[in-house]
């Protein structure tokens, strides 16, 4: 049914912060974390508006949220979010004696996500009862469910969805013998429900949600690919195609590293040789850490050594399974070529210090659009005794997961070596939290994963263990 409701909006203080795009170098050592900041500046813009609007009328549609609880209603909370993340209605604080709840909610036309959470981590079904939930319109279920772990989210549309954004300015970078990184801009709003399909010719070869970058891997060496991107919304409406680009993968002798990054490595090692230092070797785990942060900055629109999930460079390196004794990071924004970004770093004392330091033996580098990341490290084994290395290894071996490769409809992994207090977070490679909660039993259910690589952080007895999970 349709209703007309009156909204009153109060606009108040809006604060914007603008940070300079100059690169910053962060340095971390054995016993202290120290950052060197140079050539930086900060400007704050503050504007206040106290406008009062009283005559906005909005048409809405009434839906019904119905939840049948298990025996522990107090564990359950829920909310409905708009496409932009704004919470429009929520519920929590139920008594365990409550068998069910039903609420009528009036929603404007748009895209919404229903999110239900269980603080204990066993969902509504079926350990302690046969619970379920439904969001319905005129008796027809829009979303429903019952069996989940700590949380579940499902999207639905009221009225006509907004048209999908149009992809523009598609570019390819970091071309290797078996992969290429793509990035693009858009005209129109991108949300976490926007799907981008990547085409090779007329065939969809990969899809990604809510992100304007993607890495195509598993490509064939010395092969020509004709690539383009198209967006679609939750109702399946399609945008126009982006511009089409042609790329040719390299010969299979590059170790999987792009020519661009190998050229940058050459410049780094030439500078080190001129300063009497040993050359750095490329390390795939450090490359993965650099790629993670470059994608995070691009997708979440920021420029900082601190990731969108609060991570530092040392966290990101450790998350890739690299045990370090020293680690540092250079970042830059806006440079268009390898030579340009190298010159920028070499003309800055903090960045040049990282490039020429004898403390580091390995490097990983990445570029996403015009965001650049260098990660420097010395592995733990070269600085500590074997006893210490073994002790660190034993910590990470206390907890294991299997399988760590999920295919098709697989959504459960087995966990060993944990305890009743273990909590977890599943992150995408862009740093977005996908699932989180407390481990219940010996299995973890990870629903709604798109194909790709994920990191799972397990926290147990004050220690964090990170495992990698791949969904095909």
């Amino acid at each position: 049914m349709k209703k007309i409701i009156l909204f009153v909006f109060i606009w108040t203080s809006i604060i914007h912060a603008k940070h300079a795009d100059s690169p910053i170098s962060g340095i971390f050592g054995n016993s202290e974390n120290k950052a060197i900041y140079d050539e930086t500046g900060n400007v704050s813009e503050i504007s206040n508006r106290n406008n009062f609007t009283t005559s906005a009328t909005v048409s809405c549609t009434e839906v019904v949220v119905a939840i049948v609880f298990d025996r522990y209603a107090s564990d359950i909370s829920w909310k409905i979010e708009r496409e932009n993340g704004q919470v429009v209605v929520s519920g929590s604080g139920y008594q365990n004696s409550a068998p069910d709840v039903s609420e009528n909610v009036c929603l404007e036309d748009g895209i919404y996500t229903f999110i239900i959470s269980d603080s204990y981590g066993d969902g509504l079904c079926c350990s302690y009862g046969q619970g379920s939930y439904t969001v319905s319109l005129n008796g027809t279920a829009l979303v429903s469910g019952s069996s989940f772990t700590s949380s579940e989210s499902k999207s639905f549309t009221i009225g006509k969805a907004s048209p999908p954004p149009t992809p523009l300015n598609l570019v390819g970078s970091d071309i290797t013998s078996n992969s290429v990184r793509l990035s693009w801009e858009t005209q129109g709003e991108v949300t976490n429900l926007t799907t981008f399909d990547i085409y090779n010719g007329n065939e969809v070869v990969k899809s990604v949600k809510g992100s304007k970058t993607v890495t195509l891997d598993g490509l064939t060496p010395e092969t020509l690919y004709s690539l383009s991107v198209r967006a679609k919304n939750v109702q399946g409406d399609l945008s126009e195609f982006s511009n089409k680009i042609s790329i040719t993968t390299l010969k299979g002798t590059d170790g999987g590293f792009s020519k661009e990054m190998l050229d940058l490595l050459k410049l780094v090692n030439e500078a080190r040789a001129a300063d009497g230092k040993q050359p750095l070797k490329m390390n795939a785990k450090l490359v993965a850490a650099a790629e993670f942060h470059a994608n995070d900055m691009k997708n979440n629109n920021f420029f900082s050594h601190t990731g969108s999930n609060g991570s530092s460079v040392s966290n990101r390196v450790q998350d890739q399974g690299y045990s370090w004794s020293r680690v540092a990071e250079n970042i830059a924004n806006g440079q268009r070529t390898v030579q340009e970004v190298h010159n920028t770093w070499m003309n800055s004392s903090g960045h040049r210090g990282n490039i020429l330091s004898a403390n580091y033996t390995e490097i990983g580098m990445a570029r996403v659009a015009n965001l650049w990341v260098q990660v420097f490290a010395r592995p733990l084994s070269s600085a500590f005794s074997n006893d210490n290395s073994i002790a660190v290894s034993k910590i990470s071996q206390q907890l294991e997961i299997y399988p760590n490769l999920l295919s098709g409809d697989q959504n459960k992994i087995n966990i060993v070596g944990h305890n009743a207090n273990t909590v977890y977070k599943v992150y995408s490679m862009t740093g977005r939290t996908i699932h989180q909660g407390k481990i219940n039993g010996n299995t973890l259910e990870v629903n709604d994963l798109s194909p790709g690589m994920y990191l799972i952080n397990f926290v147990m007895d004050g220690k964090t263990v990170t495992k990698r999970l791949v969904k095909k």
Side-chain angles (χ1 to χ4, degrees):
M1 69 187 73
K2 291 281 184 180
K3 290 186 177 180
I4 302 295
I5 61 176
L6 182 66
F7 283 96
V8 177
F9 299 100
I10 298 177
W11 295 91
T12 184
S13 175
I14 301 174
I15 300 178
H16 305 277
K18 185 188 294 181
H19 298 284
D21 280 342
S22 60
I24 304 167
S25 64
I27 303 176
F28 297 82
N30 283 330
S31 59
E32 63 177 358
N33 289 349
K34 180 177 66 175
I36 295 176
Y37 301 95
D38 61 337
E39 303 176 5
T40 63
N42 293 303
V43 178
S44 295
E45 297 176 356
I46 303 176
S47 61
N48 294 304
R49 293 192 291 179
N50 293 302
N51 300 326
F52 188 72
T53 304
T54 59
S55 59
T57 57
V58 181
S59 177
C60 67
T61 300
E62 189 173 87
V63 301
V64 178
V65 178
I67 302 175
V68 177
F69 296 112
D70 61 9
R71 295 203 299 270
Y72 296 95
S74 61
D75 293 343
I76 299 300
S77 61
W78 60 272
K79 59 185 176 180
I80 294 178
E81 290 184 352
R82 295 182 188 274
E83 190 176 14
N84 63 5
Q86 178 191 3
V87 177
V88 295
V89 65
S90 62
S92 61
Y94 300 106
Q95 300 297 315
N96 286 334
S97 58
D100 55 59
V101 64
S102 179
E103 293 194 25
N104 292 356
V105 181
C106 215
L107 301 176
E108 304 170 44
D109 288 357
I111 301 170
Y112 296 87
T113 302
F114 178 79
I115 304 170
I116 187 166
S117 301
D118 186 312
S119 60
Y120 188 73
D122 66 335
L124 288 168
C125 179
C126 298
S127 301
Y128 299 99
Q130 302 292 319
S132 63
Y133 69 85
T134 305
V135 180
S136 59
L137 171 62
N138 296 329
T140 300
L142 300 174
V143 295
S144 61
S146 58
S147 178
F148 59 94
T149 52
S150 60
S151 67
E152 184 167 78
S153 60
K154 294 187 177 181
S155 299
F156 61 94
T157 302
I158 299 296
K160 180 67 175 175
S162 300
T166 301
L168 304 169
N169 303 324
L170 174 66
V171 295
S173 61
D174 277 3
I175 301 170
T176 75
S177 59
N178 55 18
S179 67
V180 60
R181 182 180 291 115
L182 303 178
S183 59
W184 57 92
E185 304 299 330
T186 58
Q187 180 179 343
E189 184 181 9
V190 177
T191 74
N192 59 4
L193 301 178
T194 305
T195 299
F196 292 100
D197 292 328
I198 291 80
Y199 287 78
N200 177 35
N202 296 320
E203 178 187 3
V204 176
V205 293
K206 193 165 187 175
S207 298
V208 60
K209 278 190 176 182
S211 174
K212 293 187 286 186
T213 66
V214 67
T215 296
L216 295 183
D217 46 23
L219 305 182
T220 303
E222 298 184 89
T223 302
L224 176 66
Y225 291 87
S226 180
L227 303 173
S228 58
V229 177
R230 200 177 196 184
K232 63 183 177 185
N233 61 17
V234 291
Q235 291 185 331
D237 300 325
L238 295 172
S239 72
E240 297 295 324
F241 281 98
S242 71
N243 57 300
K244 185 174 291 187
I245 63 171
S246 296
I247 66 102
T248 301
T249 50
L250 305 181
K251 295 181 179 181
T253 58
D254 55 15
F257 303 119
S258 70
K259 181 179 184 300
E260 189 172 46
M261 293 302 103
L262 291 175
D263 288 344
L264 185 52
L265 177 64
K266 181 180 179 182
L267 292 176
V268 166
N269 283 335
E270 285 176 352
R272 288 176 65 87
D275 200 55
K277 304 297 192 307
Q278 292 296 311
L280 299 177
K281 296 180 180 179
M282 195 85 88
N283 181 282
K285 292 180 179 179
L286 298 181
V287 170
E291 289 178 344
F292 181 96
H293 193 48
N295 278 300
D296 187 20
M297 290 192 291
K298 170 67 175 177
N299 292 328
N300 293 297
N301 193 31
F302 71 98
F303 181 67
S304 170
H305 288 281
T306 302
S308 63
N309 60 357
S311 65
S312 66
V313 60
S314 56
N315 298 141
R316 294 187 289 271
V317 169
Q318 188 168 326
D319 286 347
Q320 296 300 329
Y322 186 102
S323 296
W324 56 271
S325 62
R326 286 182 174 271
V327 65
E329 181 180 74
N330 285 346
I331 59 176
N333 184 15
Q335 293 77 11
R336 294 166 296 177
T337 67
V338 164
Q339 189 67 60
E340 186 179 352
V341 73
H342 180 71
N343 290 346
T344 300
W345 280 328
M346 291 298 291
N347 288 327
S348 164
S349 59
H351 302 89
R352 184 175 65 251
N354 285 339
I355 290 172
L356 301 181
S357 175
N359 290 327
Y360 310 117
T361 59
E362 297 181 316
I363 191 172
M365 297 178 287
R367 175 191 183 182
V368 175
N370 285 329
L371 286 159
W372 305 75
V373 179
Q374 285 181 321
V375 177
F376 306 86
R378 176 185 290 268
L380 185 67
S381 57
S382 64
F384 291 94
S385 69
N386 289 333
D387 289 340
N388 282 336
S389 285
I390 292 171
V392 172
S393 298
K394 284 180 179 177
I395 291 172
S396 63
Q397 290 172 4
Q398 290 177 359
L399 186 146
E400 295 294 341
I401 66 171
Y402 67 93
N404 59 7
L405 174 63
L406 300 179
S407 301
D409 295 332
Q410 283 183 293
N411 67 345
K412 289 185 179 180
I413 58 176
N414 300 295
I415 307 169
V416 295
H418 63 295
N419 60 34
N421 297 317
T422 303
V423 295
Y424 74 93
K425 277 189 179 182
V426 181
Y427 294 101
S428 71
M429 292 306 290
T430 62
R432 185 166 62 93
T433 301
I434 308 297
H435 293 278
Q436 60 181 323
K438 190 174 182 179
I439 301 297
N440 180 34
N442 296 318
T443 61
L444 176 60
E445 194 171 291
V446 283
N447 296 305
D448 304 322
L449 292 186
S450 302
M453 180 180 291
Y454 298 85
L455 298 176
I456 310 178
N457 280 1
F458 297 93
V459 180
M460 177 177 63
D461 298 332
K463 300 181 178 68
T464 299
V465 177
T466 301
K467 299 295 180 181
R468 287 185 291 280
L469 177 69
V470 176
K471 179 64 183 290
K472 285 194 171 182

